[in-house]
Amino acid sequence: MAVEITSSDIFTPGQLTMHSKIFAGPGAGKTHFLVENVKNIVTTHPYVANSRARKVLCITYTNAAVDEIVRRLDRYSDSVEIHTIHGFIIEHIIKPFQQNLREIISEEFGIAVDGKGKITSQVEGLGILHGVDKAEIFKYIADKTAETAELSYSKKIMGDVQVNIADYLQDAVSFAAKKADEKLTASSKIADTHILPVKAYIWSVVKKLTHDEILYFGYRILERNHTALYATRVKFPFIFVDEFQDTNPLQTMLIKLIGAKSTTIGIIGDIAQSIYSFQGAKPSQFADFAMNGERELAQYVINDNRRSTANIVNFCNYLRQSDSNVSQCSRKPYPDDAAKLKTEAKKVHFIIGESDIAKSQIAEIIADGGVVLTRTWAAAFSYIRGITPGQVDCLKKIYNSYYTSPIDIRRDIEEHNFVTWVKAFKCIFGLWNGYRTGAFIDVLKAFSIYVDINYKKITPKFISLIKKLSENLFAGLNENTTDKITAHVIENFNEQIKDEQYSKLIDVLGTGFKIPIFDDADKDDLKANVLSLNWQTSYKLFTEVFSAGSKYMTVHQAKGLEWEKVVVSLTPNKASNKDNITLDVMYNNPCLLEEQAAQEFTRMYYVACSRAKEDLYIHLPNGFSSSVMDNAIGAFTEKSGQRIEYEII
């Protein structure tokens, strides 16, 4: 039975001698609890306070969460290491124990890796073979196999060759007895004789590990190298893992291994927010977590919710009623009683159907600062204000073009600029922003996507020519222009810059400068859809959708965030029917504890609804009967005593 605590509680010295599992729902103050307890340890506990070498380790799920914990710890962070699980393994296991890694690769896979350069991780958001010439890999395979047949494997297919983690987790003993190539998983398109050479090239030449391989080799190094394990335990006498429901079995095994002796483990999580099954996460990883070893495991629960109103909290409790571990109570703070009365009077709102009235209501919510949360990006695009169904369809097809690709197109637009058409669009938008605002620095930033700008060569003539070119390109364009295709504007730029009158631009931009829109790897269907995006749609995509402060996102992207107003629009996957559930079934009997896709859908619904602080709007499809809601919520209120004020609009 879990002991109820609050987010402000500080563990006593006695409690810190035991491992801990803390159940905490959304808005419970998990991060506050974690940060304040870490501060207490680094200032008072002799293991850390009296040592420069020992630190507290905090592991969380995303880089954004890492940054937030660093910010909150402030001056205390010198005594703390904050990482994602992959970041921790790379920095503290893979990098310092490279010799062990090479030995494991050699012994288990028969692949020799020289000592030149460190083996590290792939760049997040990019394929493991990004920047590598396929011809080099094909030559390597030919040299290793003495085969002369011409090869045509894509880098995506070759990059997917990796250690078969599933087989290892199923039976480590039988896995060890397998042949080297049988320990790897690969596409059926790759010949059996080429699997090992491909992996050998990636490990020995590229020297990169996939995300799953980081977990595998990190665990294997600690498992076989007792010195490495001991050093890890000594350095980190306390390890806290946030969002533990998002861990996969191999991560759990690694944490348990470290915590078997000396190190105190604290895990914090919420079964109802486990929505990463595609990465191996299961609610049972947290629910059934136990420790073997010299220390007991104490269980705690934080039932407070300081984020949302009572109506929203009670509605979320209704969705998670199958979970007896947590039953939240709203503790939302208010400046005064008047503010409390006004806010707490807000009902949960249900919007049914696709009528013009419904669409108008949602558009008003977005305009007033609300966000729309959907299951997929294909669904999110449908809510972008002001674009036509045809443009929505183009966006869906462009996004889906990268579905089986190692490229995360959202991340590329937001951060990377590796995709050719993304670079081109960013450049033309930068030039346009410079033109309309008069900020010449924006123009230079746009060109710097392609060339290193020598500012000494920036002359009044150069500026004058850029202004003239921009006037020809952008006159009459605004954020809502729909009769111009963005790619055509870029093509127009490429044609105009070749004109003799702009020859002086060459001194800065280089001979033959142009903005390429596509590369050889881009397929015809992708090109056709990119060439169909008008100026308004593409500008919204880059500045409103795939951008900081976006009003449109998927539930997975929204996890860990919160807003005053939230529109939830989630429906089961009808195309594949893999969920085996309807909204009617879910609302009548919401279950979320098991591993089935249907119950993960309920968990997604729960996560989405729990992002709302004051106004929760749930958009339901045509044909949904309001009586379902009336009966389901009525039954929950009768059973639990928790009242939910709601309205159907």
Side-chain angles (χ1 to χ4, degrees), residues 352 584 587 620-631 648:
I352 300 178
D584 287 16
Y587 273 113
L620 297 163
N622 285 320
F624 188 90
S625 174
S626 60
S627 63
V628 172
M629 197 60 59
D630 294 336
N631 294 335
I648 297 172

PDB file of all heavy atoms in Angstrom, residues 352 584 587 620-631 648:
ATOM      1  N   ILE A 352     -19.627  18.269 -30.713  1.00  0.00           N
ATOM      2  CA  ILE A 352     -19.922  17.085 -31.528  1.00  0.00           C
ATOM      3  C   ILE A 352     -20.123  17.487 -32.983  1.00  0.00           C
ATOM      4  O   ILE A 352     -20.892  18.395 -33.292  1.00  0.00           O
ATOM      5  CB  ILE A 352     -21.166  16.347 -31.003  1.00  0.00           C
ATOM      6  CG1 ILE A 352     -20.940  15.892 -29.553  1.00  0.00           C
ATOM      7  CG2 ILE A 352     -21.480  15.136 -31.883  1.00  0.00           C
ATOM      8  CD1 ILE A 352     -22.138  15.193 -28.931  1.00  0.00           C
ATOM      9  N   ASP A 584     -17.525   4.975 -28.098  1.00  0.00           N
ATOM     10  CA  ASP A 584     -18.624   4.559 -27.234  1.00  0.00           C
ATOM     11  C   ASP A 584     -18.146   3.555 -26.194  1.00  0.00           C
ATOM     12  O   ASP A 584     -18.453   3.665 -25.001  1.00  0.00           O
ATOM     13  CB  ASP A 584     -19.749   3.940 -28.060  1.00  0.00           C
ATOM     14  CG  ASP A 584     -20.535   4.971 -28.857  1.00  0.00           C
ATOM     15  OD1 ASP A 584     -20.023   6.111 -29.001  1.00  0.00           O
ATOM     16  OD2 ASP A 584     -21.638   4.656 -29.330  1.00  0.00           O
ATOM     17  N   TYR A 587     -15.763   5.238 -23.585  1.00  0.00           N
ATOM     18  CA  TYR A 587     -16.444   6.080 -22.616  1.00  0.00           C
ATOM     19  C   TYR A 587     -17.298   5.275 -21.635  1.00  0.00           C
ATOM     20  O   TYR A 587     -17.428   5.627 -20.464  1.00  0.00           O
ATOM     21  CB  TYR A 587     -17.299   7.133 -23.320  1.00  0.00           C
ATOM     22  CG  TYR A 587     -16.528   8.383 -23.657  1.00  0.00           C
ATOM     23  CD1 TYR A 587     -16.275   8.731 -24.977  1.00  0.00           C
ATOM     24  CD2 TYR A 587     -16.050   9.220 -22.656  1.00  0.00           C
ATOM     25  CE1 TYR A 587     -15.562   9.887 -25.288  1.00  0.00           C
ATOM     26  CE2 TYR A 587     -15.333  10.371 -22.951  1.00  0.00           C
ATOM     27  CZ  TYR A 587     -15.093  10.692 -24.268  1.00  0.00           C
ATOM     28  OH  TYR A 587     -14.388  11.834 -24.562  1.00  0.00           O
ATOM     29  N   LEU A 620     -15.794  15.553 -30.623  1.00  0.00           N
ATOM     30  CA  LEU A 620     -16.243  14.203 -30.934  1.00  0.00           C
ATOM     31  C   LEU A 620     -16.791  14.142 -32.359  1.00  0.00           C
ATOM     32  O   LEU A 620     -17.321  15.131 -32.868  1.00  0.00           O
ATOM     33  CB  LEU A 620     -17.316  13.770 -29.936  1.00  0.00           C
ATOM     34  CG  LEU A 620     -16.826  13.683 -28.475  1.00  0.00           C
ATOM     35  CD1 LEU A 620     -18.009  13.662 -27.517  1.00  0.00           C
ATOM     36  CD2 LEU A 620     -15.958  12.451 -28.282  1.00  0.00           C
ATOM     37  N   PRO A 621     -16.692  12.995 -33.017  1.00  0.00           N
ATOM     38  CA  PRO A 621     -17.094  12.904 -34.436  1.00  0.00           C
ATOM     39  C   PRO A 621     -18.607  12.904 -34.618  1.00  0.00           C
ATOM     40  O   PRO A 621     -19.382  12.694 -33.679  1.00  0.00           O
ATOM     41  CB  PRO A 621     -16.480  11.568 -34.874  1.00  0.00           C
ATOM     42  CG  PRO A 621     -16.417  10.762 -33.611  1.00  0.00           C
ATOM     43  CD  PRO A 621     -16.107  11.735 -32.514  1.00  0.00           C
ATOM     44  N   ASN A 622     -18.992  13.122 -35.850  1.00  0.00           N
ATOM     45  CA  ASN A 622     -20.412  13.003 -36.211  1.00  0.00           C
ATOM     46  C   ASN A 622     -20.955  11.642 -35.803  1.00  0.00           C
ATOM     47  O   ASN A 622     -20.276  10.620 -35.934  1.00  0.00           O
ATOM     48  CB  ASN A 622     -20.597  13.171 -37.730  1.00  0.00           C
ATOM     49  CG  ASN A 622     -20.470  14.618 -38.176  1.00  0.00           C
ATOM     50  OD1 ASN A 622     -20.943  15.528 -37.508  1.00  0.00           O
ATOM     51  ND2 ASN A 622     -19.842  14.834 -39.325  1.00  0.00           N
ATOM     52  N   GLY A 623     -22.174  11.639 -35.306  1.00  0.00           N
ATOM     53  CA  GLY A 623     -22.799  10.382 -34.942  1.00  0.00           C
ATOM     54  C   GLY A 623     -22.627   9.984 -33.497  1.00  0.00           C
ATOM     55  O   GLY A 623     -23.279   9.045 -33.024  1.00  0.00           O
ATOM     56  N   PHE A 624     -21.722  10.661 -32.772  1.00  0.00           N
ATOM     57  CA  PHE A 624     -21.551  10.334 -31.361  1.00  0.00           C
ATOM     58  C   PHE A 624     -22.776  10.809 -30.583  1.00  0.00           C
ATOM     59  O   PHE A 624     -23.202  11.958 -30.685  1.00  0.00           O
ATOM     60  CB  PHE A 624     -20.288  10.991 -30.801  1.00  0.00           C
ATOM     61  CG  PHE A 624     -19.960  10.549 -29.408  1.00  0.00           C
ATOM     62  CD1 PHE A 624     -19.149   9.452 -29.194  1.00  0.00           C
ATOM     63  CD2 PHE A 624     -20.460  11.220 -28.291  1.00  0.00           C
ATOM     64  CE1 PHE A 624     -18.839   9.029 -27.909  1.00  0.00           C
ATOM     65  CE2 PHE A 624     -20.159  10.806 -27.019  1.00  0.00           C
ATOM     66  CZ  PHE A 624     -19.349   9.703 -26.826  1.00  0.00           C
ATOM     67  N   SER A 625     -23.348   9.915 -29.784  1.00  0.00           N
ATOM     68  CA  SER A 625     -24.563  10.220 -29.044  1.00  0.00           C
ATOM     69  C   SER A 625     -24.239  10.831 -27.684  1.00  0.00           C
ATOM     70  O   SER A 625     -23.455  10.267 -26.916  1.00  0.00           O
ATOM     71  CB  SER A 625     -25.403   8.960 -28.853  1.00  0.00           C
ATOM     72  OG  SER A 625     -26.504   9.217 -28.016  1.00  0.00           O
ATOM     73  N   SER A 626     -24.842  11.965 -27.404  1.00  0.00           N
ATOM     74  CA  SER A 626     -24.608  12.613 -26.113  1.00  0.00           C
ATOM     75  C   SER A 626     -25.091  11.753 -24.950  1.00  0.00           C
ATOM     76  O   SER A 626     -24.631  11.909 -23.819  1.00  0.00           O
ATOM     77  CB  SER A 626     -25.295  13.983 -26.081  1.00  0.00           C
ATOM     78  OG  SER A 626     -26.703  13.851 -26.277  1.00  0.00           O
ATOM     79  N   SER A 627     -26.025  10.836 -25.225  1.00  0.00           N
ATOM     80  CA  SER A 627     -26.534   9.968 -24.159  1.00  0.00           C
ATOM     81  C   SER A 627     -25.436   9.060 -23.613  1.00  0.00           C
ATOM     82  O   SER A 627     -25.479   8.671 -22.438  1.00  0.00           O
ATOM     83  CB  SER A 627     -27.710   9.130 -24.664  1.00  0.00           C
ATOM     84  OG  SER A 627     -27.306   8.255 -25.715  1.00  0.00           O
ATOM     85  N   VAL A 628     -24.477   8.707 -24.464  1.00  0.00           N
ATOM     86  CA  VAL A 628     -23.340   7.900 -24.001  1.00  0.00           C
ATOM     87  C   VAL A 628     -22.617   8.631 -22.879  1.00  0.00           C
ATOM     88  O   VAL A 628     -22.290   8.050 -21.838  1.00  0.00           O
ATOM     89  CB  VAL A 628     -22.382   7.592 -25.171  1.00  0.00           C
ATOM     90  CG1 VAL A 628     -21.108   6.916 -24.650  1.00  0.00           C
ATOM     91  CG2 VAL A 628     -23.057   6.722 -26.213  1.00  0.00           C
ATOM     92  N   MET A 629     -22.368   9.916 -23.096  1.00  0.00           N
ATOM     93  CA  MET A 629     -21.674  10.717 -22.096  1.00  0.00           C
ATOM     94  C   MET A 629     -22.515  10.861 -20.831  1.00  0.00           C
ATOM     95  O   MET A 629     -22.009  10.740 -19.719  1.00  0.00           O
ATOM     96  CB  MET A 629     -21.351  12.103 -22.687  1.00  0.00           C
ATOM     97  CG  MET A 629     -20.290  12.873 -21.916  1.00  0.00           C
ATOM     98  SD  MET A 629     -18.765  11.965 -21.892  1.00  0.00           S
ATOM     99  CE  MET A 629     -18.461  11.832 -23.640  1.00  0.00           C
ATOM    100  N   ASP A 630     -23.776  11.124 -21.011  1.00  0.00           N
ATOM    101  CA  ASP A 630     -24.657  11.293 -19.867  1.00  0.00           C
ATOM    102  C   ASP A 630     -24.658  10.044 -18.984  1.00  0.00           C
ATOM    103  O   ASP A 630     -24.524  10.130 -17.760  1.00  0.00           O
ATOM    104  CB  ASP A 630     -26.087  11.593 -20.327  1.00  0.00           C
ATOM    105  CG  ASP A 630     -26.209  12.933 -21.047  1.00  0.00           C
ATOM    106  OD1 ASP A 630     -25.366  13.818 -20.808  1.00  0.00           O
ATOM    107  OD2 ASP A 630     -27.151  13.084 -21.856  1.00  0.00           O
ATOM    108  N   ASN A 631     -24.808   8.885 -19.601  1.00  0.00           N
ATOM    109  CA  ASN A 631     -24.880   7.635 -18.846  1.00  0.00           C
ATOM    110  C   ASN A 631     -23.533   7.294 -18.181  1.00  0.00           C
ATOM    111  O   ASN A 631     -23.493   6.884 -17.017  1.00  0.00           O
ATOM    112  CB  ASN A 631     -25.309   6.482 -19.754  1.00  0.00           C
ATOM    113  CG  ASN A 631     -26.735   6.637 -20.275  1.00  0.00           C
ATOM    114  OD1 ASN A 631     -27.558   7.298 -19.644  1.00  0.00           O
ATOM    115  ND2 ASN A 631     -27.014   6.059 -21.436  1.00  0.00           N
ATOM    116  N   ILE A 648     -22.712  20.040 -23.542  1.00  0.00           N
ATOM    117  CA  ILE A 648     -22.532  19.654 -24.944  1.00  0.00           C
ATOM    118  C   ILE A 648     -22.902  20.859 -25.795  1.00  0.00           C
ATOM    119  O   ILE A 648     -24.025  21.361 -25.717  1.00  0.00           O
ATOM    120  CB  ILE A 648     -23.379  18.427 -25.277  1.00  0.00           C
ATOM    121  CG1 ILE A 648     -22.902  17.236 -24.430  1.00  0.00           C
ATOM    122  CG2 ILE A 648     -23.279  18.092 -26.774  1.00  0.00           C
ATOM    123  CD1 ILE A 648     -23.745  16.023 -24.497  1.00  0.00           C
TER     124      ILE A 648
END
